[in-house]
Amino acid sequence: MTLQIGVIGCGGITRAHIEGWKQSASRAKVVAFADVSEAAMAQRQAQLGYDVTFYSDYHKLLASGEVDAVDICLPHHLHKEAIVATAQAGKHLMTEKPLCLNLGEAAEIEAAVRASGITMMASHNQLFFPAVQQAKKMILKGSLGKIYMVHSYDCSARDPALNPDKSKWGEVPAVFKDAWRTDPAKMGGGELIDTGYHPTYRLLFLAGETPKEVTSMLGTYRLPLKEEDTSEVLVKFEDGMIGHIFTSWAVRAPGARPILFSVMGEFGQLWGERNALYYQPVGFNEPAVVEYPPQSGAGTIAAEIDHFVDAIVNGYEPLHSVAEATDTLRIILAAYESVDGSRTVRI
């Protein structure tokens, strides 16, 4: 059986999703797009290399009977409505991050998914970096003993090229081409709820424990945004473990090859980059290193799409579904509350 896939939203992130679906073509085939822009759908169709059905309204796609599952790639503020409608239509779904904008919406999503019995996967693609997967395996095996601290990073310094029009030198460049990202009401915040979602779900995945307190500081240093471009978040877990999230559009993460995470435990430590994992037991002067083939963010999206298809075909819950996506959102919302109230927030 080949799953029939509809893609809802054909913006920039969908480019990597289409490449992922092409790699899963033996088990799943994209047959329809839904977007308000026919030009955007035409671009994605050209990327696919064959004709699909276009819908200007995703509700018509869901009602068509043409698809078994959908891939939701909409702006943040549209996620809840699309997820609930898809679940109510009885279609399996994968949705881009963040899950939604608040915990009330998350509860509606949870109820709709539970009532429908569909398979839902949160698009937490950075769980599929090999270094992250191997680190989780080692933590579960007890290679580090009791875990004391987990750091999670996702940073990128945005430095546009020199404008060839010298009359524009000194002007502040546009941050995003897609205007919705400059609107906090549609974004749900600033950098933290966008790129910062990645190190947050990665922290929870590696920690594997229940968070109880969040403390945060936000800053805007480099980009002309209404909200933050840089975030520092501390998370205290029930077992005493401390989590740290550092995420930014203004600076790079530490290291010549920027670090993704580090885990410190009683027997040693692990730290990972996109394409390497380091393991250094207590008392050793040098770490053991595993180098992985170069993998981009697009590669992790292909891996998560394959995981989504496998979960549907074989009937198991994906690595991250509603509960994990809600937990991630809960941390981020608590971080914003911590800043607004200048206090530690219990969750």
Side-chain angles (χ1 to χ4, degrees):
M1 173 186 174
T2 300
L3 293 173
Q4 307 294 292
I5 306 299
V7 178
I8 298 177
C10 291
I13 190 61
T14 326
R15 186 178 297 107
H17 283 241
I18 293 301
E19 291 305 311
W21 287 112
K22 287 163 69 174
Q23 291 186 39
S24 292
S26 64
R27 296 195 294 174
K29 182 180 181 180
V30 175
V31 297
F33 291 139
D35 199 285
V36 295
S37 168
E38 186 165 344
M41 290 189 285
Q43 283 185 323
R44 298 288 81 83
Q45 179 172 268
Q47 185 183 351
L48 267 178
Y50 58 84
D51 289 346
V52 302
T53 309
F54 287 1
Y55 293 90
S56 60
D57 182 344
Y58 67 77
H59 295 91
K60 293 181 179 179
L61 182 155
L62 295 173
S64 69
E66 188 175 5
V67 301
D68 304 304
V70 300
D71 182 1
I72 298 173
C73 299
L74 293 169
H76 300 178
H77 65 296
L78 302 177
H79 285 187
K80 189 270 291 186
E81 180 184 344
I83 294 168
V84 170
T86 300
Q88 290 174 343
K91 309 300 181 183
H92 304 297
L93 72 95
M94 170 177 149
T95 180
E96 260 297 341
K97 55 83 182 165
L99 176 66
C100 52
L101 297 187
N102 58 63
L103 295 179
E105 290 185 346
E108 289 185 55
I109 289 170
E110 194 276 335
V113 170
R114 184 180 65 249
S116 69
I118 62 157
T119 296
M120 177 193 154
M121 189 174 91
S123 182
H124 293 177
N125 62 294
Q126 290 195 12
L127 300 184
F128 295 88
F129 279 119
V132 174
Q133 295 263 317
Q134 181 62 28
K136 182 64 176 180
K137 181 179 177 181
M138 294 177 70
I139 291 168
L140 290 173
K141 287 174 62 178
S143 300
L144 298 182
K146 181 174 176 56
I147 305 301
Y148 300 145
M149 186 173 291
V150 180
H151 300 265
S152 191
Y153 304 86
D154 195 306
C155 302
S156 58
R158 296 171 178 240
D159 188 16
L162 180 68
N163 194 319
D165 183 351
K166 64 183 180 182
S167 69
K168 298 186 180 298
W169 291 356
E171 290 185 6
V172 177
V175 182
F176 297 109
K177 292 181 181 178
D178 42 353
W180 69 267
R181 287 184 184 270
T182 64
D183 183 347
K186 294 179 179 179
M187 274 274 282
E191 189 275 344
L192 179 58
I193 200 169
D194 194 341
T195 304
Y197 211 80
H198 293 298
T200 306
Y201 66 66
R202 199 177 337 108
L203 169 69
L204 295 177
F205 177 71
L206 292 172
E209 297 292 341
T210 303
K212 69 173 185 178
E213 294 179 353
V214 175
T215 306
S216 182
M217 298 183 73
L218 309 180
T220 305
Y221 301 110
R222 186 170 184 167
L223 300 180
L225 296 171
K226 296 178 183 177
E227 304 292 330
E228 79 284 348
D229 67 16
T230 301
S231 306
E232 287 267 15
V233 182
L234 288 176
V235 181
K236 187 71 174 290
F237 291 87
E238 292 285 359
D239 69 344
M241 186 193 317
I242 295 174
H244 168 234
I245 299 160
F246 177 54
T247 180
S248 179
W249 286 333
V251 299
R252 284 166 54 94
R257 299 192 306 184
I259 192 171
L260 282 177
F261 64 87
S262 69
V263 183
M264 300 177 183
E266 62 178 323
F267 299 151
Q269 59 182 311
L270 291 167
W271 64 98
E273 302 160 352
R274 283 189 173 224
N275 302 309
L277 179 67
Y278 302 81
Y279 172 47
Q280 187 167 356
V282 171
F284 282 63
N285 294 326
E286 297 290 337
V289 185
V290 179
E291 297 274 358
Y292 300 101
Q295 184 178 41
S296 65
T300 61
I301 289 175
E304 74 174 355
I305 285 173
D306 184 68
H307 174 65
F308 175 55
V309 172
D310 195 65
I312 295 172
V313 171
N314 292 302
Y316 62 84
E317 183 176 294
L319 198 58
H320 273 193
S321 186
V322 181
E324 293 84 3
T326 302
D327 287 344
T328 303
L329 181 65
R330 185 175 286 110
I331 295 292
I332 289 170
L333 296 177
Y336 285 134
E337 184 180 348
S338 170
V339 171
D340 290 342
S342 300
R343 63 185 179 91
T344 295
V345 174
R346 292 192 61 86
I347 58 175

